[in-house]
Amino acid sequence: MFRRWLLALLARVGLIVLGLCCCLLLIYLLACKPASHSRQQSLLWYGSATNKEGYMALLQEREDSHRHYINSLTKQIVQLKEALQERTQQLQESLEKAKTKGILPQGLESLHKTPTQYDLKEFFRSQLNQAEVNSGAKLLSEYAVIPFDTFTLQRVYQLETGLTRHPEERLVRKDRRDELIGTVETALHALNGPHQHRDSSRRKYTYSPSDFIEGLTRTERDKGTVYDLMFKGNNPQDFTQLLLFRPFGPMMKVKSESVDTGNMLINIIIPLSKRSDAFRLFISNFREVCIKQDGRIHLTVVYFGRDQIDQVKAMSFTLIQLNEEFSRGRGLDVGARAWRRSQNVLLFFCDVDIHFTADFLTSCRLNAEPGKKVYYPVLFSQYNPSIIYSNQTLLPSVQQQLVIRKETGFWRDFGFGMTCQYRSDFINIGGFDRSIKGWGLEDVHLYRKYLHSKLMVIRAPSHGLFHLWHEKSCADELPADKYKMCMQTKAMSEASHSQLGELFFKREIEAHLNSRKPMNRGI
């Protein structure tokens, strides 16, 4: 009974579903029926006014349909934006709560920041970490070092000069001038900004362009440009160093710190053998700069032999005598290790024919830092005054000869003997190679040790450090490689390229001038 009733019910339902399908099919056919041939003709007929009105009506209908569709999509986009904004706000609130409770999962800290801003900061941070700014990079040789340019508000002192440029140039190029002056302005803004006045006990001084001493800059082509700027402080012994980095984008402030150089004693170490006249000239400069102007200098002279020792004793502070063959590296090493005070003193390895200014001593203090930086200044080497001033009756004084020009000297970028480094770094690096005797190479070996370490090597031209010209003799007992180096240095120190050319072609020049005399008389 139940089975029959169920079959009848299924049959009725089947008939009803079939009827509904037929109705839907009929409605579909009516709706999709193409327009008649006569209507298509009337719409395509161009001249009839009635057909034109129909065509316009059809266009209006389709325009209204598209407008309704666009409005519908616009509403959907607005709704999706509102929903997304709401979900973002909920997510940020959840992250803030999780961050407050200390349960924020690792790697999700950046979700509450704007993605583009976060990516940009991460890129700049990666450029800063890769650049040689906060720590030194291990380099293969001395030729891999990118030297710094030294600059003031008026001039740039650079090594990459070639034969057509000057070792010291005014800020003539607009892009270079705008770059360096803009950097100083950025530094002043950072030093004088509102955030600097929060700590009233630390910040009571307003910096101006006149407080800028000098800056160091260099560019690593694949990373960016670093600027190390030095400013005067409240008193003559207070300085501020500001390190800026431009990762081929907006300027970034790396750090700003006050540096008190009042207690930074410099121990100048000079290895010496004979040459009492040169030492007398050095002591004259020492008294003027170190005693009268600076007052925080100790002098150590390591003297080889006994000749002229009495004259040296009358002028030096600490004298160490070695009765052995002269070795520059040996003398400097003995002088550095002879320091017995507990203070980690700053060493300045110097030669007797070096002339320096008080500004250089400041650069020495600011560019060397124990465990972090060693300073290898590039000094300006003087040409032979008898050649430079051959057209003058009397030679100018030494002070008048200390002019940085293409005709007066050159940057001795192949020399690494003058350097400022802390005694602790010198001891930890192993000091000089004591097996080297006589002249040359001991400074290069020490320089390479620092390049292979994690310490940063500051290599930059110094406008306050000069090598005075003196007659140079290359001993016959030197090995072939050292003798060749000595002769090359001797040749480079005589005169500039053009001056040597005039000496070499002197006969041709005089012959040309003599040949022109009859012609001039005829005129």
Side-chain angles (χ1 to χ4, degrees):
M1 207 51 198
F2 177 74
R3 183 178 294 176
R4 259 186 227 170
W5 180 80
L6 183 60
L7 290 175
L9 181 60
L10 290 174
R12 291 177 183 175
V13 172
L15 291 173
I16 294 173
V17 171
L18 181 61
L20 288 174
C21 290
C22 292
C23 293
L24 291 174
L25 181 60
L26 181 61
I27 295 172
Y28 175 77
L29 292 174
L30 291 174
C32 297
K33 181 180 179 181
S36 62
H37 181 70
S38 60
R39 180 168 177 80
Q40 291 179 5
Q41 287 287 82
S42 63
L43 289 175
L44 294 174
W45 190 255
Y46 189 77
S48 173
T50 305
N51 293 338
K52 184 177 180 180
E53 291 176 357
Y55 180 71
M56 295 299 295
L58 180 61
L59 288 177
Q60 184 65 37
E61 181 181 353
R62 294 199 174 178
E63 183 179 352
D64 293 340
S65 175
H66 285 298
R67 187 181 296 110
H68 290 312
Y69 182 66
I70 292 173
N71 292 336
S72 176
L73 291 177
T74 303
K75 291 180 180 179
Q76 293 180 29
I77 292 173
V78 172
Q79 293 173 356
L80 289 173
K81 283 185 177 180
E82 292 177 353
L84 180 60
Q85 185 176 1
E86 183 179 357
R87 294 295 298 170
T88 302
Q89 185 176 359
Q90 293 176 358
L91 179 60
Q92 289 180 348
E93 292 175 356
S94 301
L95 289 173
E96 291 295 336
K97 291 180 180 179
K99 187 177 181 180
T100 303
K101 296 180 180 179
I103 58 174
L104 184 64
Q106 188 176 6
L108 297 181
E109 294 88 348
S110 62
L111 293 180
H112 65 285
K113 298 180 181 179
T114 305
T116 55
Q117 181 183 5
Y118 175 76
D119 294 341
L120 187 62
K121 288 185 176 180
E122 280 299 301
F123 169 74
F124 288 162
R125 185 61 56 185
S126 66
Q127 293 290 91
L128 176 61
N129 293 335
Q130 295 174 23
E132 192 178 3
V133 177
N134 289 317
S135 61
K138 294 183 178 181
L139 303 175
L140 297 178
S141 70
E142 61 271 23
Y143 303 105
V145 175
I146 302 175
F148 285 81
D149 288 345
T150 304
F151 68 96
T152 63
L153 290 177
Q154 292 81 26
R155 287 177 170 80
V156 177
Y157 304 90
Q158 55 200 0
L159 294 180
E160 305 297 331
T161 56
L163 294 176
T164 59
R165 300 178 63 186
H166 300 283
E168 174 241 30
E169 288 188 342
R170 294 181 180 273
L171 295 175
V172 178
R173 281 178 44 187
K174 184 179 183 301
D175 57 340
R176 187 66 164 160
R177 182 173 64 251
D178 293 345
E179 174 202 358
L180 297 180
I181 293 179
T183 300
V184 175
E185 291 177 351
T186 301
L188 291 173
H189 178 74
L191 293 174
N192 297 325
H195 60 282
Q196 298 290 340
H197 296 272
R198 294 175 183 173
D199 188 1
S200 58
S201 63
R202 176 181 177 271
R203 187 69 180 82
K204 296 181 179 179
Y205 185 76
T206 300
Y207 292 88
S208 66
S210 61
D211 296 320
F212 175 66
I213 302 173
E214 68 175 13
L216 303 179
T217 178
R218 71 175 178 183
T219 299
E220 296 181 59
R221 291 187 177 92
D222 58 340
K223 299 177 183 68
T225 303
V226 62
Y227 304 90
D228 194 352
L229 309 179
M230 301 151 196
F231 294 84
K232 293 184 292 186
N234 282 325
N235 57 66
Q237 298 179 357
D238 288 337
F239 301 88
T240 296
Q241 279 187 275
L242 188 66
L243 192 62
L244 302 174
F245 182 66
R246 188 197 302 275
F248 300 125
M251 191 72 71
M252 291 178 62
K253 176 183 176 182
V254 179
K255 65 178 179 180
S256 176
E257 59 182 359
S258 297
V259 182
D260 183 6
T261 62
N263 297 322
M264 291 185 182
L265 182 68
I266 299 179
N267 184 16
I268 301 178
I269 303 177
I270 298 180
L272 186 64
S273 178
K274 302 179 181 179
R275 301 196 63 189
S276 58
D277 292 338
F279 187 68
R280 190 176 291 106
L281 182 61
F282 175 87
I283 286 296
S284 175
N285 178 56
F286 180 86
R287 289 196 183 103
E288 178 64 29
V289 174
C290 299
I291 298 178
K292 294 183 180 180
Q293 299 181 34
D294 193 283
R296 292 159 291 160
I297 304 295
H298 184 86
L299 178 62
T300 301
V301 178
V302 181
Y303 194 84
F304 290 81
R306 294 182 177 275
D307 294 343
Q308 304 177 8
I309 184 64
D310 294 335
Q311 302 176 37
V312 175
K313 283 182 178 179
M315 294 181 285
S316 63
F317 291 157
T318 298
L319 177 62
I320 302 173
Q321 185 179 2
L322 299 178
N323 293 322
E324 54 188 78
E325 180 185 356
F326 176 80
S327 171
R328 185 178 185 274
R330 164 76 170 152
L332 294 174
D333 194 88
V334 169
R337 297 178 188 275
W339 184 259
R340 293 291 178 253
R341 303 184 194 179
S342 59
Q343 181 183 4
N344 183 21
V345 69
L346 176 59
L347 306 176
F348 171 37
F349 294 151
C350 189
D351 287 340
V352 70
D353 45 27
I354 296 300
H355 186 284
F356 53 85
T357 65
D359 290 337
F360 167 74
L361 297 177
T362 298
S363 300
C364 182
R365 292 184 174 100
L366 295 179
N367 289 320
E369 187 174 357
K372 293 185 178 180
K373 297 187 297 184
V374 293
Y375 182 39
Y376 272 83
V378 180
L379 53 82
F380 193 77
S381 189
Q382 184 187 38
Y383 288 138
N384 189 343
S386 61
I387 297 179
I388 299 174
Y389 307 102
S390 59
N391 58 344
Q392 299 184 20
T393 306
L394 296 176
L395 291 179
S397 65
V398 174
Q399 291 292 337
Q400 292 174 330
Q401 294 178 25
L402 301 179
V403 180
I404 300 177
R405 289 204 308 265
K406 190 176 180 180
E407 299 78 18
T408 59
F410 64 99
W411 292 117
R412 190 182 283 259
D413 56 344
F414 55 84
F416 309 98
M418 303 330 118
T419 172
C420 296
Q421 55 196 272
Y422 275 86
R423 184 177 182 273
S424 58
D425 294 328
F426 177 77
I427 299 298
N428 293 335
I429 207 72
F432 286 103
D433 185 351
R434 303 182 187 182
S435 63
I436 298 177
K437 303 296 182 182
W439 182 90
L441 292 183
E442 80 287 334
D443 51 355
V444 179
H445 287 186
L446 179 65
Y447 186 61
R448 288 172 179 170
K449 286 183 179 180
Y450 282 117
L451 297 182
H452 297 161
S453 71
K454 293 184 179 180
L455 275 73
M456 186 185 301
V457 177
I458 305 298
R459 180 74 167 160
S462 173
H463 55 86
L465 191 63
F466 297 86
H467 178 270
L468 302 180
W469 184 89
H470 60 88
E471 189 70 37
K472 194 172 189 63
S473 60
C474 300
D476 294 335
E477 59 268 17
L478 287 174
D481 57 342
K482 289 188 177 182
Y483 187 83
K484 184 178 180 181
M485 288 175 57
C486 183
M487 292 301 294
Q488 288 176 346
T489 304
K490 182 177 181 179
M492 292 183 63
S493 302
E494 286 298 312
S496 67
H497 187 272
S498 59
Q499 290 166 334
L500 288 176
E502 289 181 7
L503 291 175
F504 186 80
F505 298 108
K506 183 177 181 180
R507 292 183 179 178
E508 287 86 341
I509 295 174
E510 290 179 351
H512 175 74
L513 293 176
N514 292 331
S515 66
R516 301 285 295 178
K517 287 181 180 179
M519 184 180 299
N520 294 335
R521 289 172 184 173
I523 295 175

